[in-house]
Amino acid sequence: MEYLTITELTKTFNVSSRMIRYYEKMGLMESSRKENYAYRVYDETAVKRLQQIIILRKLRISLKEIAVILNDNEQKEALQIMQENVCKLDEEIDALNTIKDILNVFVVRLNESVCKKIRLDFLDDTELLAMTKILKGAKTNMKEEHSIEQLNNANETIHKLQDKDVRILYLPPMTVTSIHCVSEAPENDCHIQLKKFVMENRLWEVKPDFRIFGFNNDNPDCHGYEMWITIPENLEVSEPFLKKHISGGLYGAHMIPFGAFEEWQWLYEWAATSKEYDIDWKAPENMMGGMLEEHIRNCINNFDDEAKQNNGMTQLDLLIPIKMKEQ
């Protein structure tokens, strides 16, 4: 039986190690130990399971629904989930077809107006109502077979971020304490260390506006994760924490529900094709080139007993460093 390391798995399927570890945490797939090998590996069953998850995600099935589908031996719940998603898509398709038909009517009327050199008054409610009344019903053409390439192309088209989907924000210079963990579950280890730091320093009192950031920080042999938490300038820190001064800068931001790490690719593609911005990569490269995950706080201190799931976070802001294009 052939085994793959997490690094080989990320390269084979073009997914992040963070995503794979999150799938494991949710119980969607499993890794195993190989004799005389230091790190966990993935067998053929795990690889097949990852393929299934990737395809279902491209079909816009949520991770919670995927968990149900993969563990539903009788497939009754899977059938219900698929039917519900079809209904949701039908509603979206109907809405989009309505918008498309209205726009097509505008195109026809505007074309007539341009040819006749008569200006169309968009602010005239009577004119708008007249256009909507002549809309025709939407027609759909359902093909019986679709290739994986078509699915990938459809997924890329649907999930392509537009400028309106990305917030442009400025991170000010910050003083942070950082913790770096290299292990089989580095994100969780970082959270455990940070929780201890927050509680010992009662950070919610000395800096109630503290912010939490994280990013992959690998070493040659194993995946790692580093987290920052903003602190007052005069707060002393001790090992294993380090105090750092972060320069800040301009970022493109995209919010995701916790676990939807495949959307990093959407944000990267937006930045790579932007007409206004260039990616402002920062060294070193193993630290995601300056890309950050801001862990959005959803409770007063984010580490109390009422915020156990996902370490108190339910969403992330993905942040990619950018700069204005040179004129």
Side-chain angles (χ1 to χ4, degrees), residues 166-180:
V166 180
R167 308 185 331 270
I168 307 301
L169 59 82
Y170 173 75
L171 286 185
M174 301 174 289
T175 300
V176 304
T177 185
S178 74
I179 183 70
H180 178 211

Side-chain angles (χ1 to χ4, degrees), residues 76-90:
K76 292 180 179 179
E77 291 180 285
L79 173 60
Q80 181 179 348
I81 288 171
M82 295 296 183
Q83 290 174 329
E84 289 174 352
N85 276 272
V86 168
C87 290
K88 291 177 184 177
L89 285 172
D90 281 339

Side-chain angles (χ1 to χ4, degrees), residues 96-109:
L96 288 172
N97 277 329
T98 298
I99 293 171
K100 177 183 175 182
D101 289 342
I102 292 174
L103 287 173
N104 278 330
V105 171
F106 272 114
V107 169
V108 172
R109 297 296 292 271

Side-chain angles (χ1 to χ4, degrees), residues 131-283:
M131 289 183 187
T132 57
K133 284 180 180 179
I134 63 175
L135 291 175
K136 297 180 180 179
K139 296 181 180 180
T140 60
N141 180 22
M142 183 68 178
K143 295 182 180 179
E144 293 184 359
E145 296 183 359
H146 294 277
S147 67
I148 189 66
E149 182 178 357
Q150 288 175 311
L151 173 59
N152 289 338
N153 290 339
N155 184 67
E156 290 175 5
T157 299
I158 291 172
H159 292 131
K160 185 176 182 180
L161 295 183
Q162 307 294 325
D163 288 344
K164 63 181 177 61
D165 302 316
V166 180
R167 308 185 331 270
I168 307 301
L169 59 82
Y170 173 75
L171 286 185
M174 301 174 289
T175 300
V176 304
T177 185
S178 74
I179 183 70
H180 178 211
C181 295
V182 177
S183 65
E184 293 182 352
E187 297 90 352
N188 187 60
D189 292 343
C190 282
H191 275 290
I192 292 173
Q193 295 279 5
L194 272 188
K195 178 178 179 179
K196 182 180 178 181
F197 179 89
V198 169
M199 301 305 289
E200 288 179 349
N201 291 278
R202 301 188 66 82
L203 196 62
W204 62 90
E205 293 180 357
V206 299
K207 189 170 177 58
D209 63 342
F210 71 84
R211 302 173 71 173
I212 306 167
F213 302 90
F215 53 90
N216 290 344
N217 187 352
D218 302 334
N219 69 19
D221 299 319
C222 189
H223 286 279
Y225 198 72
E226 181 170 336
M227 293 192 73
W228 298 340
I229 190 164
T230 57
I231 60 173
E233 173 63 33
N234 61 354
L235 184 65
E236 296 297 326
V237 302
S238 57
E239 293 184 351
F241 296 95
L242 293 175
K243 180 185 283 190
K244 295 184 178 181
H245 299 281
I246 310 303
S247 60
L250 201 63
Y251 287 82
H254 170 57
M255 189 279 289
I256 65 167
F258 199 93
F261 299 111
E262 69 272 14
E263 298 187 26
W264 261 124
Q265 184 65 26
W266 308 356
L267 183 60
Y268 167 77
E269 290 174 356
W270 167 83
T273 58
S274 173
K275 296 179 180 179
E276 295 186 50
Y277 303 98
D278 286 322
I279 302 176
D280 188 18
W281 293 122
K282 303 179 186 299

